[in-house]
Amino acid sequence: MGTRAIAGAYGQGATGVREVLDAAEQGDRRAREVLADALGLLGSALAAWLTAFGAEVLVGGGRIVLAWPLVEPLLCAGLARSGVRVPVVPATRPTASGLVGAAYDVTRRAGLRGGPGQGERGGRKTANGSVTWSVRSQNR
């Protein structure tokens, strides 16, 4: 579910997810239901990948982490419904998550060592999009 789909499902003239998040944070039940549905679907979609990667943690990045107290439990609920229980944490530098993932992918494809995703970062695999998620895996 993308930005337009979330805003459209909420209605109320919303043009973006930020408006829906703001409404949910102010107690709007409809906004919270829309977000629960969207994040539940995201959790379900990620569950198979997290299982295949043998994920130890899921790291959220991008602007979505600005509403982390609302997002995290809804995403975890979606994961749990799919039988996946891994820690879900916000990135320490959420706006750079996409760049870190891209740099990791380039260094991996080039066969370089010691680049992003090595050492302290532990080999995270990153999928880039409007919301960026990184996965630390036992299966490197």
Side-chain angles (χ1 to χ4, degrees):
M1 222 178 190
T3 298
R4 282 186 243 157
I6 292 170
Y10 175 61
Q12 309 297 317
T15 58
V17 175
R18 180 77 254 167
E19 294 163 277
V20 182
L21 288 167
D22 289 343
E25 288 174 333
Q26 294 171 13
D28 184 314
R29 184 177 176 169
R30 176 72 185 137
R32 190 166 172 81
E33 289 171 355
V34 167
L35 290 172
D37 288 346
L39 292 166
L41 289 171
L42 177 61
S44 295
L46 290 173
W49 292 103
L50 295 171
T51 301
F53 288 141
E56 298 170 352
V57 64
L58 176 65
V59 181
R63 287 189 271 170
I64 196 78
V65 301
L66 298 175
W68 198 252
L70 177 65
V71 169
E72 188 264 345
L74 297 174
L75 179 60
C76 285
L79 290 169
R81 281 193 297 276
S82 297
V84 174
R85 296 190 190 280
V86 296
V88 179
V89 299
T92 55
R93 291 185 286 159
T95 58
S97 298
L99 294 174
V100 170
Y104 169 77
D105 188 51
V106 167
T107 57
R108 181 186 58 82
R109 288 175 192 247
L112 302 174
R113 299 177 69 177
Q118 299 297 318
E120 179 182 85
R121 294 195 186 279
R124 293 186 179 151
K125 295 174 175 62
T126 303
N128 296 315
S130 58
V131 177
T132 305
W133 301 95
S134 299
V135 177
R136 185 172 64 215
S137 170
Q138 295 172 342
N139 306 328
R140 292 185 199 183

